[in-house]
Amino acid sequence: GKLGEGTFGFVWRVRHTEWQIDLAVKELKRASPERQKNFLRESLVWIRELGLHPHIVTAYSVRELEGTPYLFLEYCPGGSLADSIQQGQGTRVSGSRDLATTLALGIQLAWGLAHCHEKHIVHRDFKPLNVLLTETGEAKITDFGTVKFAALEQVVEQGSAASRPDFLKTLGGQLQGTPPYMPPEQWVKGGTVDYRADLYALGVTLFELLTGDHPVRPAQNTLAGWAAAHAQAPPVALRTLRPDVPAALEALVQRCLAKRPEQRPKSAREVAEVLAGLYGDVTKQSYGRQPPSELKALANRCNNLGASYYDMRLLPDAEKAWEEALRVDARHLEATYNLGLIRWRSGRLTDKDLVRTLREVSAAHSGKESLHALLAQVHLERWDAASAIEELEVGQRQRAGSQSSQSLLIQARAALPASWRCLRTFEGHTNSVSAVAISPDGRWVLSGSWDTTLKLWEPTTGQCRRTFEGHTHHVFAVAFSPDGRWALSGSADNTCIVCFLDWELK
């Protein structure tokens, strides 16, 4: 089903049939080159730079389907914080329990922003609509379409500058953000915007969580009106709308809403620490959770990153991600397949080596149908539809075939008539076969062997129609004349022999 729709795209709720979880998928409405560039930019920042954090919506992968990129995200069933505020949860309600809930959400949001800022990322559009809630009410920051790198040169130094595309750079000169949450400096086109802009937006969000209202009220609901209000109008006193709010909390919100960036808190972590202290004062017990750190990437995560990089044409990064997945789990099936596939396609691995490697890891995935599906895809790519069919049928016998495997089986059966497969085996030489040739009209096969003979075969029946003798050492080259009447052989005995093929054979 559809979760939402914006100016440029849709967000869908989908089911991942292998992981058995729901995901959210962002899809572009109009995939113009510029919009695709910005979409990939957002996706790359989200996946590559932000990693895994409990208060950031996880971006699993970005995949290109029929020329359109789709971003696969963690699904949060609790909806947005904006919806929660609009429904009256946490608005103008006295009582320590509601205040504690607000403080807990504020701590989580500050932790999430601190993680972004420590990755040199400024959100620039932080607001309740871009905060999603889990089923248990945990807050997660989402939508990184307008992010800015506060220190791009530091980020580039951490990785290969050549592998980082232009769309990582900030959108200089453009007005970015949502008017009610934008600090004065963000209204200046081409101006300097750093992490303190997000702290201002956090102050607006905390004020809204506590009161259901905005701390800055423009004379006119226009861009110019909002710009003037943020630059000149003092914020509404929080405790005039919510008397039960502690003075220290009001002071913190006012600091976040300071007009000058240097007057705001030093960091999001400082905001989280103050909120945690206030939580203890309000509830008479500690918050009970320590500031979370970035979660270690597991093999599945690294594999998904590699697939995303591959679709973004960042092939060196894709290989590194798959190599990291195999360092974490040497028998990770999908990473083994993906890394082997691109190395085979680039001529650094043979198809036999790829199949052998996949079979070597099969012991760790006994009964897993996807193993047979992956092997079948390799067979299909090397035009061996018969082996692909065999693999898929084995997978289906082991467990009920998935819809994707059944589709692949239909594809393999359709490809069988034109695929490469063993049509005939010619037997008769007594030593290694070192040379073969097919006649111009395709009716005859000539072979040369270490047994010093040449043999003429009829491919439709597999019968040997002539054996030519005369060489005293192994035959290493054979050829037909353009009219098919003559055959020429070369041997290690330092001779060439011309053989006349009986006209009646033709």
Side-chain angles (χ1 to χ4, degrees):
K2 187 190 294 183
L3 291 173
E5 180 178 350
T7 305
F8 296 107
F10 303 99
V11 181
W12 304 94
R13 178 181 177 182
V14 301
R15 185 71 173 173
H16 194 301
T17 56
E18 186 172 344
W19 295 354
Q20 288 299 303
I21 62 171
D22 289 351
L23 300 177
V25 180
K26 294 188 72 171
E27 175 198 7
L28 290 180
K29 275 183 185 175
R30 299 181 295 275
S32 66
E34 183 63 24
R35 182 55 195 157
Q36 279 205 20
K37 183 173 118 174
N38 290 338
F39 186 86
L40 291 172
R41 172 185 174 276
E42 171 189 0
S43 302
L44 188 59
V45 170
W46 207 332
I47 296 170
R48 180 175 192 161
E49 309 299 340
L50 287 173
L52 298 172
H53 189 275
H55 298 299
I56 303 288
V57 169
T58 299
Y60 292 107
S61 62
V62 57
R63 306 308 312 279
E64 190 174 280
L65 306 174
E66 298 182 353
T68 300
Y70 294 79
L71 181 60
F72 291 81
L73 301 165
E74 175 183 6
Y75 170 64
C76 297
S80 73
L81 189 58
D83 293 337
S84 177
I85 293 172
Q86 190 173 12
Q87 292 165 7
Q89 299 176 16
T91 60
R92 291 191 177 91
V93 180
S94 301
S96 60
R97 183 176 184 277
D98 178 67
L99 195 56
T101 301
T102 302
L103 289 168
L105 286 171
I107 294 168
Q108 294 166 20
L109 295 175
W111 280 344
L113 286 175
H115 176 72
C116 294
H117 299 162
E118 288 159 10
K119 294 284 187 177
H120 311 289
I121 291 171
V122 182
H123 193 288
R124 293 203 300 180
D125 197 21
F126 180 80
K127 57 186 176 182
L129 189 61
N130 287 338
V131 175
L132 299 180
L133 301 175
T134 67
E135 198 169 11
T136 57
E138 296 284 303
K140 290 176 176 276
I141 302 171
T142 189
D143 200 350
F144 292 87
T146 59
V147 296
K148 172 183 175 181
F149 276 87
L152 180 65
E153 68 281 358
Q154 295 178 21
V155 177
V156 171
E157 287 172 4
Q158 295 170 5
S160 169
S163 69
R164 291 178 180 266
D166 290 339
F167 52 72
L168 273 180
K169 297 178 182 177
T170 180
L171 303 175
Q174 299 181 27
L175 193 65
Q176 300 288 334
T178 302
Y181 304 89
M182 292 166 58
E185 69 270 19
Q186 198 167 340
W187 291 91
V188 180
K189 291 187 178 182
T192 301
V193 175
D194 61 20
Y195 69 92
R196 293 171 292 189
D198 289 343
L199 298 186
Y200 186 94
L202 177 59
V204 178
T205 299
L206 288 171
F207 191 100
E208 195 173 351
L209 264 173
L210 291 162
T211 68
D213 207 341
H214 287 279
V216 177
R217 298 170 183 174
Q220 292 181 316
N221 188 20
T222 63
L223 287 178
W226 279 106
H230 284 295
Q232 301 167 11
V236 175
L238 177 57
R239 294 210 292 172
T240 61
L241 300 178
R242 184 75 185 269
D244 68 313
V245 168
L249 178 54
E250 181 179 41
L252 176 64
V253 172
Q254 292 293 323
R255 284 178 63 202
C256 289
L257 296 173
K259 306 296 183 186
R260 298 174 61 86
E262 62 270 18
Q263 294 175 343
R264 297 172 201 154
K266 292 181 179 179
S267 68
R269 289 214 178 271
E270 180 186 337
V271 175
E273 290 170 3
V274 174
L275 291 173
L278 287 167
Y279 184 93
D281 295 339
V282 168
T283 65
K284 308 306 178 186
Q285 58 185 4
S286 65
Y287 181 52
R289 292 174 54 187
Q290 295 299 314
S293 56
E294 183 176 358
L295 303 175
K296 184 178 179 181
L298 301 178
N300 280 343
R301 170 73 174 175
C302 296
N303 177 67
N304 292 336
L305 287 175
S308 301
Y309 294 149
Y310 181 82
D311 275 7
M312 290 178 173
R313 316 298 190 268
L314 301 174
L315 301 188
D317 296 276
E319 282 206 50
K320 289 177 183 177
W322 288 323
E323 288 168 353
E324 179 60 27
L326 293 176
R327 277 192 289 271
V328 175
D329 179 3
R331 293 184 174 273
H332 192 275
L333 178 60
E334 289 77 12
T336 300
Y337 169 82
N338 289 329
L339 184 60
L341 190 67
I342 64 168
R343 287 179 174 173
W344 170 37
R345 287 173 174 170
S346 60
R348 291 173 288 158
L349 191 72
T350 68
D351 56 341
K352 289 184 178 180
D353 287 336
L354 175 55
V355 171
R356 176 182 53 77
T357 303
L358 285 171
R359 294 213 180 278
E360 285 175 355
V361 302
S362 64
H365 304 277
S366 178
K368 189 172 183 180
E369 188 189 358
S370 59
L371 167 66
H372 301 285
L374 294 177
L375 281 166
Q377 290 185 87
V378 173
H379 291 315
L380 279 176
E381 189 161 334
R382 63 178 184 168
W383 288 83
D384 185 359
S387 295
I389 293 170
E390 182 180 349
E391 284 290 347
L392 292 167
E393 288 177 344
V394 169
Q396 289 193 333
R397 284 196 297 270
Q398 290 181 352
R399 56 188 295 185
S402 66
Q403 184 175 352
S404 59
S405 291
Q406 291 170 357
S407 299
L408 197 59
L409 184 57
I410 293 171
Q411 179 185 344
R413 286 171 175 164
L416 185 60
S419 71
W420 298 349
R421 60 193 188 278
C422 181
L423 298 175
R424 192 77 60 201
T425 299
F426 307 104
E427 297 181 353
H429 283 295
T430 59
N431 209 327
S432 300
V433 176
S434 48
V436 293
I438 300 177
S439 65
D441 60 9
R443 296 181 62 189
W444 306 102
V445 173
L446 186 67
S447 60
S449 169
W450 278 56
D451 64 10
T452 73
T453 69
L454 282 73
K455 290 185 180 291
L456 187 69
W457 309 89
E458 190 173 31
T460 54
T461 63
Q463 292 181 349
C464 178
R465 298 295 298 273
R466 292 286 187 275
T467 297
F468 301 95
E469 299 179 347
H471 285 297
T472 59
H473 213 302
H474 75 265
V475 179
F476 59 79
V478 295
F480 282 97
S481 63
D483 62 7
R485 298 182 62 191
W486 305 87
L488 179 67
S489 61
S491 168
D493 63 10
N494 300 328
T495 68
C496 294
I497 292 180
V498 177
C499 303
F500 177 66
L501 307 180
D502 251 350
W503 189 253
E504 67 183 32
L505 294 177
K506 301 179 72 67

